[in-house]
């Protein structure tokens, strides 16, 4: 079962939202509490945010969040008032690449879901 975070409020850095908070997504990737299916969320991660442009910005990887040195470097420098992030525990039968890691985008929309969408291209 993937874990998701949504933030809408005063601008915060990705570091503050995804890494530093108690039981943040970063920690939940290897030590999730009350997870009903699976034991870890190490099959990918992603973060998306809005800045002064029509489409959201997105950063995703098909690896555990703690192994990505680029995210560790970027997270303290990126700030937004609207953030969506997730750590992934792959659903059986889904791809193991970053294309299956949330968040997803369509035009100006940023979204996340848990599980599988049938017939999604």
């Amino acid at each position: 079962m993937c874990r998701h975070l949504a933030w809408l409020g005063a601008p915060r850095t990705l570091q503050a939202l995804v890494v530093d908070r108690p039981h943040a997504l970063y920690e939940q990737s290897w030590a999730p509490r009350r997870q009903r299916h699976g034991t870890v969320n190490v099959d990918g991660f992603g973060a998306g945010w809005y800045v002064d442009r029509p489409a959201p910005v997105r950063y995703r990887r098909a690896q555990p969040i703690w192994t990505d040195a680029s995210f560790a470097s970027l997270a303290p420098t990126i700030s937004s008032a609207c953030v969506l992030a997730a750590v992934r525990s792959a659903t059986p039968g889904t791809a193991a690449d970053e294309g299956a890691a949330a968040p997803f985008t369509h035009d100006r929309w940023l979204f996340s879901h848990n599980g599988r969408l049938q017939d999604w291209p």
Side-chain angles (χ1 to χ4, degrees), residues 3-9 17-18 21 25 48 81-86 112:
R3 298 296 175 120
H4 307 268
L5 168 128
W7 174 259
L8 185 59
L17 294 169
V18 178
R21 293 189 183 270
L25 288 180
C82 184
V83 174
L84 193 59
S112 191

Side-chain angles (χ1 to χ4, degrees), residues 27-117:
E27 180 180 326
Q28 289 187 47
S29 64
W30 77 81
R33 298 178 350 172
R34 301 183 185 132
Q35 185 156 323
R36 297 174 71 191
H37 304 288
T39 57
V40 292
N41 297 288
V42 297
D43 298 318
F45 74 95
W49 58 94
Y50 289 89
V51 291
D52 191 20
R53 61 180 246 172
V57 179
R58 180 176 59 173
Y59 183 87
R60 301 184 302 169
R61 292 291 179 257
Q63 65 192 62
I65 192 171
W66 72 84
T67 66
D68 189 323
S70 293
F71 183 77
S73 176
L74 293 170
T77 68
I78 296 170
S79 183
S80 178
C82 184
V83 174
L84 193 59
V87 293
R88 182 171 186 244
S89 177
T91 301
T94 60
D97 60 23
E98 72 182 43
F104 306 98
T105 59
H106 180 72
D107 297 330
R108 66 185 185 106
W109 300 106
L110 185 63
F111 62 98
S112 191
H113 69 85
N114 204 13
R116 182 180 202 169
L117 297 174

Side-chain angles (χ1 to χ4, degrees), residues 10-29:
R12 298 281 190 269
T13 64
L14 293 180
Q15 178 81 25
L17 294 169
V18 178
V19 179
D20 290 344
R21 293 189 183 270
H23 310 297
L25 288 180
Y26 188 86
E27 180 180 326
Q28 289 187 47
S29 64

